Amino acid sequence: MIENGDLCGRSRSCYIPCTEETAQDFIEILDVYYSEISMYCGYLPTFSWVSKGNEVLLRFYSDENEDFKGFSASYRAIERRPPSEWELVFRAASGRERNAASKWLDESRGYNEGAKAAKSVTVGSLQTYKNRIVNEWENIGVRKVKIELYKSGNVLSAFIFEGIESSNLTDWFECENLIYAPYSNLYNCTDLVFKIDEEGFEIANELGSNGDNCTDADGLVWLDLQDVPDGSYTTCSYEDAAATTTRFFYSTLPEGTPTNTGTGMEYADVFTIWIQRDCDQHLIMNPSEPKFVESEDYGFANYPHFEYCDMYFTTDPLQHITFNFKDFIMQTDCELQRDYVVIEDVTSEYSDLFCGKQSDVEWTTTANNAILRFRTDASINYAGFQAEVVALSRNTEDCSSLLRSSFGNLTNLDYPDSPQYIRPQGCSTLVHAPPADRVVFSFNKFSFDFDIGPEFVIVDNFGNDLLVPLSGHLYPFSWTSASNELALWYYPQPYKSYLIYRSSYRRLVQPLPAGCLEFYDAEFSGFFDWPLLAMPTGSQNCFTIIRTHPVLNRRVTVTFSNLVLQLQECDAYLQVQDSTTSRNDKYCTTAQVSFTWTSDTNEAIIKFYHGPLPALHQVEAEYRSLQRVDPQWYQVFTEDSGHFWSPNYPNLYPNDIPVAEYLFHANAFQLVLIVFTDFGVEGPDVNGTCRNDYVRLYDLLDQRKDNYCNDQPPFGWCSSGNEALVSLIVDKTAQKRGFYANYAFLPRPDPAACGGLFNSDSGEFSSPNYPRAYGNNQLCVYVFQVASDKRITLQFDQLVTQPDVKCEKDHLEVQDKITGRKNVYCGTVGVPLTWTSQGNVIVMTFISDLTDSAYSGFTGSYTISDREDTQTCIEEFMAQSGTIKSPRFPSDYYNNANCRYEITVDEGFAIQLTFVEFNLEPVNPTTTSCDFDYVEILDGNDVSQDKLCGSRGPFERRIISNKVTLIFSSDFISFYKGFVVNYEQVSLTTPPPSCDQVFTGTSGVFTSPNYPGNYPDNTECRIEINVADTLRVKITFTDFSLEGYPNCPYDYVKVTDIEEGIMEKYCGRIDGPIEWRSESHNVLVLFHSDDRTPSSGFTAIYETEPIPVGALSLSGCESGSLVETSAQFGQLISPNYPRPYSLNQNCRVRITLRPEKACLITFTEFALEAHPKCAYDYVELTSFPDGASERFCGTPFVPFTWRSTGNICEVHFNSDAFVPSQGYRGSFEAVEAVGRITVAPTTEAPTASECNQELSHKSGTFTTPNYPAKYPLNAKCSTRIRVPEGFLIQVSFRQFDVEDEPNCNWDYVEIVDNGAGGVKTKRFCGNFQQSFTHTSLSNDIEVKLVSDNYESKTGYFASYKAVSNIVNIG
């Protein structure tokens, strides 16, 4: 920063050259060799200066006025090309020549070009030599000209000139072009004469120049080639020697020879002219005045060999330079650096080397200087290059930049806020890629509102859309450049505009060798193919980019109708990728069937790679665009099967979203099957049209659209191709529960081979080649799909395949895809055979193996009929007692039942219900409610008293009303045995029967009152178990659900060993066994409930076992490292138990029993060092003689058991040199052999690291995808954890690093408590240095990871375990 008077003020966009008269403070740079001076002052951004010569002098001047910051600079040496060899083009010898100058000026011919002696610098030959190329002076690239005079082969004097491009052979011989002479007074051209004419060459002053006399004492001469005079002018005395032959005079005096005396004048015997021919250029670029540069002979012939050209481009400091290559073709192998171009940005020192065939190349500097170096070798040459070079104004705002990295991120000024201050030049970002590549901008956030004027544009100089204006609230989108540079520019204007954007950029690497780069606008549908059928070569590689303008918020669909790839193993392939989400598919084989590929965003990139070998590959495709929806209501599914549901299901879907979309994308050889298991949206309009809220199913291949609304029974839908788009379209009125659906990708029928898609009301089908043999290795898929309210009947008129008892060879499988019912047929089947579905979709698969296939197969037809989805039954019961059964009991009840049983007894009485059998479909695992099949009990006021499902033992309900209604409902999917319930009229004052019980047998079962219904309030039951003195009691609660509270003050079960005084108290909920053992033979179980919050209670079994007498207690380390025993029972403990075991232990207990017995080992306490493969500390249990073994470590849930297969077992305990733990305690006993190992611990599962996964162990570990590498961008991952009822889930995040943002709006982790009504935690993001823990409210949660397209981190490593909400007191 240097003072510059008032010329530029302090504007960063103004540049006026500085002079000594106008600038007070300035720097001056002198190129010493060329005597060229540059001056700089004022306020200038970073810029560079390049000398022509090898020495520079920099001077800094300042006056006595204001002080400024000054300047800081660095310097470096830049390699200059070495001077080319001097090339002799003219030579004349004194002795016989009389008209040397005339021959030089003769443009009609050359002289003695084949005479070698005529080129000598001695007087070996008197012939004059001239190369005819001199006559093409302006076209031969002359950069320097040298005159040398010789005598006896020695140089006497020399003069060097700049060789200007001119057709006049005399123009270079001027004082202003003189670079070197041995006379110091020749560099000031005042009063000097440089002349060529028919009489000779002359360098003299005005007084010494040939004239009327040579007598002036001030006349001087330095060089005089004097041809033989013709007598028409006066010669000086020294020129008399040229009376008969041309003489070459030169001055031996430093100041020149006086013409009046001739003192110091000598003459040479040989006069030569030499040229240096190179293509170095120094070009001064004026703003907005383009120059064209090209390789030599461009447009006329191929460039010459051995070119070594350096072109220097410079402009003023407030400009930068852009190269726009119109044409570029050279040798292709850049690594060998044969023929190539290098462009260097002098300021940043960045450079690119490129060669081969390039198209649409731009190259922009950061500042005001660039060097283009052009090199060729002696091998093949091509047409070369031509480029337009222009100097353009630099944007020097702090929000502008030029980026050359391969990827990165971009945001607006002051992000995440809108720009806060104006930038007069606007903000620009230019991204540069190597010449062969392209640049992709991917915006994952864009919102731009403005009142007037401001702009946001993508600048694509080579594209059809030079400027791509953007505004509004846009969905994520991408834009790929047509050249290797892409820019964006916007004008920040606070208070008049609002702008927030976040984008990434990356390089799109062009396949080599490149064949084509094509762009298509999918706003208007069109076709393309590749390659041209006339070009079946191995060098035709292409990018085809199909897109829509970002402001349209549309996506791209491409239909490939013919894909032929002849090379194998992906040597040739087609790859389709969404530019924004990076979702992609690679196709390596020929696809005989048409298929589609639909993008998530506005742009798809199709890469065709032809492969290394000549082959005829082919692609034919059609493209179009579809409207997109808000990304938060969009999902894409690419796994082979899964589930999806409407927003908020099973709660009401929101009515403030216009559309929610689900894209299903299978591979080219699959179709999409969707089965709606629950469907309820707003009904049709008065015309029966689904117009308000509806679900649209769109087959993207045949563009078939089917709309569904209202309440529908479960139904299916199949696509004809590999993609389907499901849309939930809602208005702003009614809301309903929506839908829940399953999907699967199935093998796609190939009509050209066998199978097919059948969707008419009737038709025929058959096996391949019927009635001839169907052939080996057949896979035929027949898909029957009809209207959702229809079902299908197949009738087989013949069915004969290879006989096979197990139907594992040739067979036909028929499956109702709605209910899952399936039958497999093989051999000779009796016909006619009729098969009727309950749903509207049947998939029939025929498979033959590689063996005997000499059978005719099958033939048949199909018809449709109305579905009978609803079975209604209404019954009334007026007697004082009776029995009610589910439909068809004891056979399975039918689907879609809707039964109502009304019971009425005398007034003033209650109704006692006793369910003696109850077997219905279990609860919905998603909601943990009875959503599928259920029995609901309504009292006399139609108020629900209970809703029951699943399987239960006998239980009772008492309804304090003389009217009861039972509602039985079943859905369409599964069916079970049903129920039997007895009812009877009971008095309101009759107390319920006593629940006290006494057991004396060796085993038994007891439950809480009314189990599995809710137990009554204010109840206390005493269950006493009193067995023989030699036995003890083992009680197992197989189901347990009571009101829970710390210390169990309200509802509880208390178990007491009466003789030993041992007591434990339980409450809360748990799904899974609770075991308790007494030490004596007498036990009391006390059940207590208070006056509120009843639950389903408990069921328990008790067993007896001998009281251990003198039982062994073994660790295996008692004597050495092996203890052997043949005892029938005993205790197992780790060394030092109950204290932590020692390090480096290796202990074994071997138990040998009678041959008919096996070992049953039960661990009641277990805590060892954990490892996924139990490689550190472990217990290994081995069965002999088969050697079957299993290892345990960590902290599995206890108790757990292990049973050997043989009568010998071994317990091996091992600890390493690190991390001791508490150890274990257990027991062993002899039991009857059952022939197999049974293991019942719940051990920790291997670490789960998929994006979407379900975990059901009671403990485990899980991570984000790729951990500890970075998780993917644009991820929506869910880890669902479900543990048995009665447990809560404790999740501990041991490592946590997710992209940080104050409100966690970018990337975040969130925990959804499914079993507690979908309660969500706050969002977690950032880097947590310490672990943290979350405990759920239920036994079913989802841990969700959401990431955007900007930045990813390592994610998290977490563990979980089930924790009981039962409180034990004892």
Side-chain angles (χ1 to χ4, degrees):
M1 187 182 297
I2 301 173
E3 184 181 7
N4 187 17
D6 295 325
L7 288 175
C8 291
R10 288 164 174 77
S11 171
R12 288 180 291 177
S13 59
C14 165
Y15 179 75
I16 298 177
C18 301
T19 65
E20 294 185 20
E21 292 76 19
T22 60
Q24 288 78 45
D25 302 349
F26 59 91
I27 60 172
E28 179 183 84
I29 306 176
L30 170 65
D31 190 328
V32 175
Y33 183 81
Y34 289 90
S35 301
E36 294 180 353
I37 296 176
S38 300
M39 296 179 61
Y40 300 99
C41 59
Y43 292 77
L44 297 178
T46 301
F47 70 97
S48 57
W49 185 93
V50 180
S51 68
K52 294 181 181 178
N54 66 317
E55 187 175 349
V56 172
L57 178 63
L58 187 148
R59 301 186 180 98
F60 171 53
Y61 299 89
S62 65
D63 62 9
E64 70 280 2
N65 296 323
E66 295 182 73
D67 295 334
F68 288 82
K69 188 175 181 180
F71 68 91
S72 174
S74 61
Y75 68 91
R76 63 187 174 96
I78 296 177
E79 180 184 5
R80 286 195 297 170
R81 62 143 295 170
S84 61
E85 297 293 330
W86 286 103
E87 181 180 356
L88 180 67
V89 295
F90 184 82
R91 177 258 193 194
S94 181
R96 192 171 66 185
E97 181 58 67
R98 298 171 61 86
N99 298 294
S102 297
K103 291 180 177 178
W104 171 256
L105 296 174
D106 180 6
E107 297 184 11
S108 65
R109 53 169 292 190
Y111 290 88
N112 299 307
E113 292 177 276
K116 185 176 180 180
K119 303 175 184 178
S120 174
V121 295
T122 65
V123 193
S125 170
L126 297 179
Q127 294 175 307
T128 296
Y129 162 75
K130 179 185 175 184
N131 192 321
R132 72 181 69 193
I133 66 170
V134 173
N135 302 323
E136 299 291 334
W137 189 267
E138 72 273 22
N139 296 322
I140 61 176
V142 177
R143 296 295 172 252
K144 292 183 176 64
V145 184
K146 178 173 66 172
I147 296 176
E148 282 187 335
L149 290 83
Y150 291 85
K151 195 163 192 173
S152 301
N154 297 315
V155 177
L156 302 175
S157 187
F159 303 84
I160 301 177
F161 299 85
E162 289 281 4
I164 64 172
E165 295 179 1
S166 172
S167 60
N168 192 330
L169 288 178
T170 66
D171 288 348
W172 58 272
F173 191 69
E174 294 179 357
C175 182
E176 288 76 8
N177 296 330
L178 182 66
I179 298 174
Y180 168 80
Y183 312 101
S184 61
N185 54 351
L186 286 185
Y187 292 104
N188 187 346
C189 294
T190 305
D191 297 330
L192 295 182
V193 175
F194 285 66
K195 182 174 63 176
I196 304 177
D197 57 21
E198 299 293 336
E199 299 169 1
F201 289 72
E202 182 181 40
I203 301 177
N205 63 9
E206 290 285 353
L207 297 177
S209 176
N210 270 340
D212 295 335
N213 64 76
C214 298
T215 59
D216 196 309
D218 291 327
L220 296 174
V221 64
W222 289 268
L223 172 68
D224 186 2
L225 182 153
Q226 182 64 52
D227 281 329
V228 175
D230 60 5
S232 63
Y233 59 90
T234 303
T235 61
C236 298
S237 59
Y238 68 86
E239 294 178 314
D240 291 342
T244 59
T245 183
T246 298
R247 294 292 185 185
F248 316 119
F249 299 103
Y250 70 96
S251 175
T252 61
L253 301 179
E255 303 297 329
T257 292
T259 56
N260 63 339
T261 64
T263 303
M265 184 64 74
E266 298 288 345
Y267 65 85
D269 53 20
V270 173
F271 176 90
T272 60
I273 299 178
W274 308 74
I275 63 172
Q276 276 188 338
R277 288 202 296 165
D278 60 60
C279 45
D280 285 4
Q281 298 182 59
H282 289 265
L283 302 175
I284 305 298
M285 305 298 302
N286 295 319
S288 300
E289 294 181 8
K291 294 182 183 294
F292 286 88
V293 296
E294 57 192 31
S295 55
E296 187 172 341
D297 296 332
Y298 176 82
F300 301 98
N302 292 346
Y303 51 75
H305 300 304
F306 298 116
E307 282 286 70
Y308 198 109
C309 303
D310 290 343
M311 302 180 190
Y312 298 83
F313 302 85
T314 188
T315 185
D316 71 63
L318 290 180
Q319 308 293 314
H320 64 169
I321 299 169
T322 294
F323 296 81
N324 188 320
F325 285 87
K326 306 296 184 182
D327 193 14
F328 192 102
I329 180 167
M330 302 173 67
Q331 274 186 285
T332 59
D333 197 339
C334 291
E335 293 185 1
L336 297 179
Q337 297 189 5
R338 289 172 172 163
D339 300 350
Y340 61 90
V341 164
V342 173
I343 302 182
E344 179 183 350
D345 181 348
V346 175
T347 305
S348 68
E349 302 184 40
Y350 175 85
S351 65
D352 278 323
L353 182 150
F354 48 110
C355 65
K357 185 180 188 304
Q358 305 290 345
S359 59
D360 300 337
V361 175
E362 281 205 337
W363 213 99
T364 301
T365 62
T366 55
N368 62 318
N369 271 287
I371 303 173
L372 185 151
R373 297 184 173 94
F374 175 45
R375 306 288 187 263
T376 69
D377 65 2
S379 57
I380 307 171
N381 54 359
Y382 291 86
F385 66 87
Q386 183 188 60
E388 180 185 28
V389 188
V390 63
L392 300 173
S393 177
R394 292 170 63 184
N395 188 323
T396 57
E397 300 288 0
D398 60 352
C399 55
S400 297
S401 59
L402 190 156
L403 305 173
R404 296 189 174 104
S405 55
S406 58
F407 62 89
N409 298 308
L410 306 172
T411 60
N412 60 277
L413 184 68
D414 300 323
Y415 185 87
D417 297 321
S418 183
Q420 304 297 303
Y421 301 99
I422 292 176
R423 299 298 192 276
Q425 292 180 274
C427 298
S428 67
T429 300
L430 174 67
V431 178
H432 170 91
D437 297 341
R438 296 298 179 259
V439 179
V440 181
F441 284 166
S442 292
F443 289 80
N444 59 14
K445 179 181 292 186
F446 187 94
S447 182
F448 183 29
D449 295 327
F450 56 88
D451 295 333
I452 54 171
E455 295 180 346
F456 189 109
V457 293
I458 294 176
V459 184
D460 190 354
N461 285 342
F462 266 102
N464 295 326
D465 302 308
L466 176 63
L467 300 178
V468 184
L470 302 174
S471 62
H473 300 272
L474 304 184
Y475 301 156
F477 67 91
S478 291
W479 192 267
T480 299
S481 65
S483 73
N484 61 307
E485 290 189 341
L486 190 61
L488 62 83
W489 177 90
Y490 64 92
Y491 187 74
Q493 197 171 18
Y495 313 114
K496 292 187 178 181
S497 66
Y498 175 85
L499 168 66
I500 291 181
Y501 79 86
R502 184 170 65 182
S503 171
S504 65
Y505 67 87
R506 69 182 189 277
R507 293 176 184 172
L508 178 65
V509 180
Q510 180 87 294
L512 296 175
C516 57
L517 178 66
E518 302 172 325
F519 291 84
Y520 296 99
D521 185 353
E523 183 180 357
F524 308 98
S525 60
F527 299 86
F528 66 91
D529 56 20
W530 166 86
L532 298 176
L533 297 182
M535 300 180 66
T537 68
S539 60
Q540 183 86 0
N541 302 316
C542 289
F543 272 127
T544 295
I545 297 169
I546 305 174
R547 63 191 176 199
T548 61
H549 197 291
V551 300
L552 299 176
N553 284 330
R554 296 181 72 83
R555 60 157 57 99
V556 175
T557 292
V558 184
T559 302
F560 296 94
S561 57
N562 189 15
L563 175 60
V564 178
L565 296 171
Q566 294 183 347
L567 297 183
Q568 302 300 314
E569 297 181 357
C570 274
D571 288 333
Y573 61 84
L574 179 149
Q575 186 175 41
V576 191
Q577 177 173 324
D578 186 293
S579 299
T580 309
T581 65
S582 298
R583 178 170 63 85
N584 68 90
D585 286 288
K586 190 173 183 179
Y587 302 95
C588 302
T589 58
T590 295
Q592 301 291 353
V593 293
S594 298
F595 65 96
T596 58
W597 203 97
T598 299
S599 66
D600 304 315
T601 61
N602 71 306
E603 184 177 86
I605 299 175
I606 304 173
K607 178 181 179 180
F608 305 97
Y609 183 69
H610 197 291
L613 301 174
L616 180 57
H617 305 308
Q618 187 174 343
V619 173
E620 295 176 4
E622 176 187 4
Y623 59 86
R624 66 185 190 277
S625 65
L626 303 173
Q627 193 64 43
R628 296 167 60 191
V629 302
D630 190 324
Q632 68 174 315
W633 304 113
Y634 168 74
Q635 297 180 62
V636 60
F637 299 87
T638 58
E639 299 296 326
D640 285 343
S641 62
H643 318 280
F644 68 103
W645 50 87
S646 55
N648 295 341
Y649 179 85
N651 299 317
L652 301 180
Y653 53 74
N655 61 2
D656 57 352
I657 58 167
V659 182
E661 278 190 350
Y662 310 81
L663 174 65
F664 299 87
H665 174 82
N667 68 46
F669 305 99
Q670 294 177 314
L671 58 76
V672 182
L673 168 66
I674 296 172
V675 176
F676 290 90
T677 60
D678 188 21
F679 192 99
V681 300
E682 187 179 0
D685 61 13
V686 294
N687 297 317
T689 303
C690 293
R691 189 185 303 275
N692 302 317
D693 298 354
Y694 58 93
V695 172
R696 182 177 63 204
L697 303 177
Y698 183 22
D699 188 327
L700 288 162
L701 181 62
D702 65 15
Q703 302 186 47
R704 168 172 55 99
K705 297 179 182 178
D706 298 316
N707 295 339
Y708 297 90
C709 59
N710 216 344
D711 288 333
Q712 298 278 354
F715 69 95
W717 183 92
C718 282
S719 65
S720 63
N722 65 305
E723 285 191 325
L725 187 65
V726 178
S727 303
L728 171 63
I729 301 169
V730 303
D731 56 18
K732 294 186 179 297
T733 56
Q735 297 172 266
K736 298 196 71 175
R737 69 182 184 278
F739 63 82
Y740 185 92
N742 304 318
Y743 78 90
F745 298 156
L746 306 178
R748 187 174 166 190
D750 183 0
C754 58
L757 180 61
F758 302 83
N759 50 26
S760 58
D761 289 347
S762 61
E764 298 178 346
F765 56 88
S766 62
S767 56
N769 304 320
Y770 185 87
R772 295 184 297 274
Y774 46 73
N776 290 334
N777 201 30
Q778 296 285 349
L779 173 59
C780 305
V781 179
Y782 304 76
V783 178
F784 302 86
Q785 179 203 325
V786 296
S788 62
D789 60 348
K790 303 295 181 181
R791 61 180 178 178
I792 306 164
T793 297
L794 305 178
Q795 178 168 312
F796 293 88
D797 299 321
Q798 181 171 336
L799 205 169
V800 179
T801 69
Q802 182 181 5
D804 178 18
V805 174
K806 296 183 178 180
C807 286
E808 294 176 346
K809 298 178 180 178
D810 301 355
H811 63 271
L812 178 70
E813 177 184 284
V814 184
Q815 184 174 23
D816 184 332
K817 283 297 183 179
I818 310 304
T819 65
R821 181 167 67 92
K822 178 173 64 175
N823 292 102
V824 179
Y825 302 99
C826 62
T828 300
V829 179
V831 293
L833 170 66
T834 300
W835 201 98
T836 300
S837 68
Q838 290 186 314
N840 68 316
V841 176
I842 292 177
V843 174
M844 189 167 72
T845 306
F846 175 61
I847 297 174
S848 67
D849 61 12
L850 296 175
T851 59
D852 183 13
S853 61
Y855 299 90
S856 58
F858 58 87
T859 184
S861 60
Y862 73 94
T863 57
I864 65 172
S865 59
D866 292 336
R867 289 170 63 175
E868 299 176 1
D869 289 320
T870 302
Q871 303 286 344
T872 303
C873 44
I874 300 176
E875 296 185 56
E876 294 185 0
F877 298 86
M878 308 293 291
Q880 294 183 352
S881 63
T883 299
I884 301 172
K885 300 179 181 179
S886 57
R888 299 175 60 186
F889 188 90
S891 298
D892 293 342
Y893 54 78
Y894 43 73
N895 291 327
N896 275 350
N898 188 3
C899 297
R900 182 181 181 92
Y901 307 96
E902 296 181 353
I903 306 171
T904 304
V905 298
D906 297 338
E907 291 188 6
F909 287 87
I911 298 174
Q912 182 81 16
L913 300 175
T914 302
F915 288 86
V916 293
E917 285 199 49
F918 196 91
N919 186 8
L920 273 63
E921 186 175 2
V923 297
N924 183 342
T926 303
T927 64
T928 67
S929 301
C930 294
D931 297 329
F932 304 140
D933 302 353
Y934 59 85
V935 169
E936 187 171 18
I937 304 174
L938 308 179
D939 65 12
N941 298 315
D942 281 345
V943 175
S944 178
Q945 299 297 303
D946 213 343
K947 193 174 184 180
L948 309 169
C949 59
S951 296
R952 303 184 177 215
F955 63 96
E956 296 180 343
R957 288 289 186 273
R958 175 173 288 193
I959 309 302
I960 310 301
S961 169
N962 72 318
K963 291 185 179 180
V964 171
T965 300
L966 302 182
I967 302 295
F968 170 58
S969 176
S970 66
D971 64 10
F972 195 75
I973 302 301
S974 302
F975 38 82
Y976 290 78
K977 186 175 182 181
F979 63 88
V980 175
V981 57
N982 297 324
Y983 78 90
E984 63 176 328
Q985 173 179 298
V986 295
S987 173
L988 290 173
T989 59
T990 301
S994 172
C995 56
D996 293 346
Q997 294 176 274
V998 176
F999 295 92
T1000 59
T1002 57
S1003 63
V1005 177
F1006 58 93
T1007 69
S1008 56
N1010 296 337
Y1011 180 85
N1014 290 346
Y1015 50 76
D1017 294 335
N1018 298 313
T1019 299
E1020 187 164 289
C1021 304
R1022 297 172 58 87
I1023 298 100
E1024 183 177 355
I1025 305 170
N1026 194 348
V1027 296
D1029 293 350
T1030 58
L1031 301 177
R1032 63 180 181 180
V1033 179
K1034 173 186 173 184
I1035 299 176
T1036 303
F1037 292 92
T1038 56
D1039 189 16
F1040 196 100
S1041 179
L1042 273 65
E1043 180 184 6
Y1045 201 81
N1047 299 322
C1048 300
Y1050 305 128
D1051 299 356
Y1052 59 84
V1053 169
K1054 182 167 65 174
V1055 186
T1056 305
D1057 185 326
I1058 296 175
E1059 293 190 7
E1060 298 294 334
I1062 301 172
M1063 183 269 291
E1064 288 197 29
K1065 193 175 186 183
Y1066 302 98
C1067 64
R1069 297 182 60 196
I1070 185 169
D1071 181 13
I1074 305 173
E1075 290 190 356
W1076 183 91
R1077 276 185 173 86
S1078 67
E1079 297 295 331
S1080 73
H1081 65 101
N1082 198 354
V1083 173
L1084 175 65
V1085 179
L1086 177 67
F1087 166 68
H1088 172 84
S1089 67
D1090 62 5
D1091 60 352
R1092 66 195 67 191
T1093 320
S1095 188
S1096 60
F1098 64 86
T1099 181
I1101 60 175
Y1102 80 87
E1103 303 168 283
T1104 56
E1105 54 189 31
I1107 298 175
V1109 179
L1112 294 171
S1113 183
L1114 303 174
S1115 70
C1117 288
E1118 287 79 5
S1119 59
S1121 60
L1122 175 64
V1123 173
E1124 297 189 70
T1125 181
S1126 58
Q1128 299 300 295
F1129 59 89
Q1131 302 294 319
L1132 297 170
I1133 58 172
S1134 55
N1136 302 328
Y1137 188 86
R1139 293 183 297 277
Y1141 53 78
S1142 302
L1143 301 177
N1144 295 314
Q1145 296 293 306
N1146 190 355
C1147 311
R1148 299 174 188 268
V1149 176
R1150 177 167 292 184
I1151 305 166
T1152 303
L1153 305 173
R1154 292 192 299 272
E1156 70 277 10
K1157 296 293 184 181
C1159 303
L1160 177 65
I1161 296 176
T1162 302
F1163 288 97
T1164 55
E1165 295 186 26
F1166 200 100
L1168 273 63
E1169 182 184 5
H1171 182 267
K1173 296 184 179 180
C1174 293
Y1176 301 151
D1177 301 355
Y1178 58 85
V1179 169
E1180 184 172 55
L1181 305 179
T1182 304
S1183 176
F1184 295 100
D1186 61 1
S1189 65
E1190 186 157 357
R1191 282 189 181 185
F1192 303 95
C1193 63
T1195 55
F1197 283 85
V1198 292
F1200 67 90
T1201 62
W1202 178 90
R1203 185 192 294 265
S1204 67
T1205 59
N1207 66 314
I1208 301 174
C1209 62
E1210 184 174 277
V1211 181
H1212 176 201
F1213 168 67
N1214 181 82
S1215 66
D1216 61 11
F1218 306 96
V1219 191
S1221 192
Q1222 194 65 34
Y1224 60 85
R1225 181 178 70 176
S1227 63
F1228 70 90
E1229 61 179 308
V1231 296
E1232 296 299 322
V1234 295
R1236 61 184 181 90
I1237 298 176
T1238 58
V1239 182
T1242 304
T1243 55
E1244 186 170 293
T1247 299
S1249 59
E1250 299 297 324
C1251 180
N1252 292 294
Q1253 53 195 356
E1254 292 193 9
L1255 309 178
S1256 58
H1257 288 75
K1258 287 188 177 179
S1259 66
T1261 54
F1262 60 99
T1263 71
T1264 47
N1266 306 328
Y1267 184 87
K1270 293 183 178 181
Y1271 53 78
L1273 301 175
N1274 288 323
K1276 291 183 179 179
C1277 299
S1278 172
T1279 298
R1280 185 168 186 176
I1281 306 172
R1282 285 184 284 190
V1283 299
E1285 290 187 7
F1287 284 92
L1288 307 179
I1289 303 170
Q1290 186 180 85
V1291 180
S1292 297
F1293 292 93
R1294 305 178 188 177
Q1295 302 289 335
F1296 192 96
D1297 187 8
V1298 173
E1299 182 186 10
D1300 196 14
E1301 195 271 335
N1303 297 316
C1304 294
N1305 287 326
W1306 298 344
D1307 298 359
Y1308 60 86
V1309 171
E1310 180 179 66
I1311 302 176
V1312 181
D1313 207 318
N1314 296 324
V1319 175
K1320 298 179 180 179
T1321 66
K1322 70 172 186 177
R1323 293 179 175 180
F1324 301 99
C1325 63
N1327 188 335
F1328 287 74
Q1329 299 300 318
Q1330 296 181 344
S1331 62
F1332 63 98
T1333 299
H1334 169 79
T1335 301
S1336 68
L1337 302 174
S1338 73
N1339 67 318
D1340 184 356
I1341 66 170
E1342 283 183 79
V1343 181
K1344 293 188 174 182
L1345 166 72
V1346 176
S1347 68
D1348 59 15
N1349 194 38
Y1350 187 61
E1351 181 181 5
S1352 65
K1353 299 288 187 178
T1354 55
Y1356 62 75
F1357 179 88
S1359 63
Y1360 75 92
K1361 62 180 179 180
V1363 293
S1364 177
N1365 62 0
I1366 292 181
V1367 179
N1368 299 331
I1369 302 175

